[in-house]
Amino acid sequence: MIKGTVLIATDICKGCELCVAACPQHCLTLSKQINTKGYRFAELKNEECTGCVNCALVCPDAAITVYRQAKIKKAV
Amino acid sequence: MEANILDNLEVVYQKPETLTDTPFHYCPGCGHGVAHRVIMEVVEELGIQDQTIGVAPVGCSVFAYHYMNVDMQEAAHGRASAAATGIKRVLPDKYVFSYQGDGDLAAIGTAETIHTVNRGENILMVFVNNAIYGMTGGQMAPTSLCGQVTSTSPYGREATQIGFPLKITELIAQLPGAYFVARHAVHTPNAVRKLKKALKSAFEYQKLNKGTCFIEIVSNCPSGWKMNPLDSQKWIEENMFPMYPLGDIKVPGKSTTPSTENN
Ligand SMILES: Cc1ncc(C[n+]2csc(CCOP(=O)(O)OP(=O)(O)O)c2C)c(N)n1
Ligand code: SF4
Ligand code: SF4
């Protein structure tokens, strides 16, 4: 399976939860802590992310950077 | 551990450099943020940052010029398309767009909107329809739905008293000056992808000098609608789309068939 991950600008996030709903892999959730604005922020809750970009597309605050595993390395 | 994982990964999505680092002041979940970002992604991808001039409205997006890292001009309430007309006529080689809410574009600015398109001004007009006046506290807009409760229609919009929701996008699509007219949304990843494609075409059409491109974005206003962001997305699908169906309304090369029914 393709592996990916996201980096969320937690201080920019407003906890709207739209990314959580948009993630087909159900990898996002809202944190228990709050950020400097007082919002619970989005964070990864598992390693199922495929780097599909869906969360970043719906984020109203452009808070998400998405990474995907480069295809090259295979052999261990 | 995180740094390790990131080493083997390549960036597949990041915030466009055509947006400034200033965080949006919009309410959590507000579609204005997505609309700003997608427009700026297109500007970045087309490589036209230094050739693009935007005109900001009065409304929640009044500070669009703080976020969009292109030349911007603020216009008087409703007059963004008139200001954009002047800019484009003086600087015809620039890519000029206006950005307006429904109160700005379809209430106080109705005359400017219609006449800009009727003159076929060679600009892109972006129209963010959230069916309410967000900035001023959730008053009824021309595009508010029948039955919609707002602070100035506390019993729901009653068409016999205050008229029907104004489908201004279908209206202006009939004008010969309109070149490309479409309605999109920002509530799902796929909707955002389609919007981006349409915006890209619209910017590219500006080189052809064929008339006005007009893109409506059906959006939400969680604060004005008094809903959480997720519920507002559902509300869009259940209530906005029957009145404001998505898709192309006027496409270059095809005859005008404005969709007047719900679908
Ligand atoms: C001449 C004038 N009349 C009225 C107002 C008050 N006013 C400010 S924004 C606005 C409407 C905003 O609604 P919309 O264009 O839908 O944008 P939104 O805030 O929903 O994004 C109004 C009526 C004003 N600023 N100037
Ligand atoms: S969509 Fe963006 S602002 Fe909303 S919770 Fe996710 S990261 Fe935060
Ligand atoms: S009031 Fe409505 S339109 Fe304005 S920023 Fe808040 S959610 Fe967006």
Side-chain angles (χ1 to χ4, degrees):
Chain A
M1 200 178 71
I2 314 156
K3 287 287 291 169
T5 192
V6 294
L7 201 63
I8 294 162
T10 51
D11 270 0
I12 301 262
C13 173
K14 293 177 187 153
C16 71
E17 255 185 310
L18 297 184
C19 58
V20 175
C23 175
Q25 299 291 108
H26 310 289
C27 346
L28 297 168
T29 186
L30 289 190
S31 64
K32 294 219 163 62
Q33 306 104 288
I34 55 166
N35 64 15
T36 51
K37 291 182 176 145
Y39 295 116
R40 293 171 66 195
F41 48 86
E43 61 182 17
L44 270 176
K45 67 172 179 198
N46 59 38
E47 292 180 358
E48 305 296 308
C49 175
T50 59
C52 74
V53 177
N54 276 8
C55 57
L57 288 180
V58 296
C59 174
D61 288 278
I64 307 180
T65 308
V66 186
Y67 301 84
R68 201 179 295 155
Q69 197 166 48
K71 284 201 183 99
I72 12 160
K73 43 192 102 41
K74 242 204 155 161
V76 184
Chain B
M1 181 194 124
E2 196 173 83
N4 238 343
I5 293 176
L6 295 185
D7 276 348
N8 300 330
L9 297 167
E10 52 195 18
V11 176
V12 283
Y13 183 87
Q14 64 188 353
K15 174 181 163 172
E17 287 183 3
T18 38
L19 279 179
T20 64
D21 287 335
T22 311
F24 295 135
H25 71 279
Y26 301 113
C27 304
C30 173
H32 273 304
V34 185
H36 284 22
R37 175 169 53 77
V38 180
I39 295 169
M40 287 300 111
E41 281 174 16
V42 168
V43 167
E44 180 175 61
E45 283 172 28
L46 293 175
I48 56 171
Q49 185 177 13
D50 55 357
Q51 303 160 55
T52 302
I53 304 175
V55 182
V58 171
C60 282
S61 48
V62 65
F63 292 137
Y65 47 81
H66 284 325
Y67 313 126
M68 300 187 184
N69 200 0
V70 293
D71 286 337
M72 297 282 293
Q73 171 65 49
E74 175 56 40
H77 201 10
R79 277 56 176 174
S81 66
T85 296
I87 293 169
K88 183 71 182 185
R89 286 188 176 203
V90 173
L91 301 167
D93 295 335
K94 301 286 182 192
Y95 295 85
V96 179
F97 72 93
S98 56
Y99 184 105
Q100 298 174 268
D102 43 83
D104 195 75
L105 181 141
I108 193 168
T110 313
E112 282 75 10
T113 300
I114 288 177
H115 288 290
T116 300
V117 181
N118 197 40
R119 294 190 305 266
E121 297 295 342
N122 192 28
I123 60 168
L124 162 62
M125 297 174 68
V126 178
F127 166 39
V128 178
N129 179 7
N130 58 15
I132 208 157
Y133 292 180
M135 182 193 200
T136 43
Q139 292 83 0
M140 191 188 71
T143 53
S144 296
L145 302 175
C146 288
Q148 186 178 338
V149 173
T150 70
S151 59
T152 47
S153 58
Y155 306 110
R157 180 177 189 155
E158 170 58 71
T160 53
Q161 295 286 316
I162 30 192
F164 292 91
L166 182 60
K167 296 174 87 163
I168 195 152
T169 305
E170 274 82 355
L171 207 72
I172 60 102
Q174 300 175 46
L175 302 173
Y179 186 60
F180 171 49
V181 181
R183 183 183 286 119
H184 287 275
V186 287
H187 69 309
T188 61
N190 259 344
V192 173
R193 287 187 185 96
K194 286 185 192 157
L195 167 66
K196 187 167 170 183
K197 225 171 128 195
L199 283 167
K200 204 169 207 170
S201 305
F203 272 105
E204 284 170 341
Y205 287 147
Q206 226 173 99
K207 270 186 273 180
L208 307 177
N209 218 359
K210 291 275 177 111
T212 312
C213 292
F214 189 103
I215 297 184
E216 173 177 340
I217 301 173
V218 177
S219 190
N220 60 346
C221 175
S223 299
W225 296 357
K226 313 221 180 306
M227 282 175 210
N228 70 44
L230 286 175
D231 287 344
S232 78
Q233 306 287 50
K234 261 184 244 133
W235 201 85
I236 286 185
E237 290 189 349
E238 287 164 12
N239 299 284
M240 293 283 277
F241 291 161
M243 177 55 72
Y244 304 112
L246 304 187
D248 290 330
I249 296 171
K250 186 176 195 177
V251 182
K254 289 192 193 154
S255 64
T256 325
T257 47
S259 60
T260 43
E261 312 142 41
N262 303 342
N263 60 20

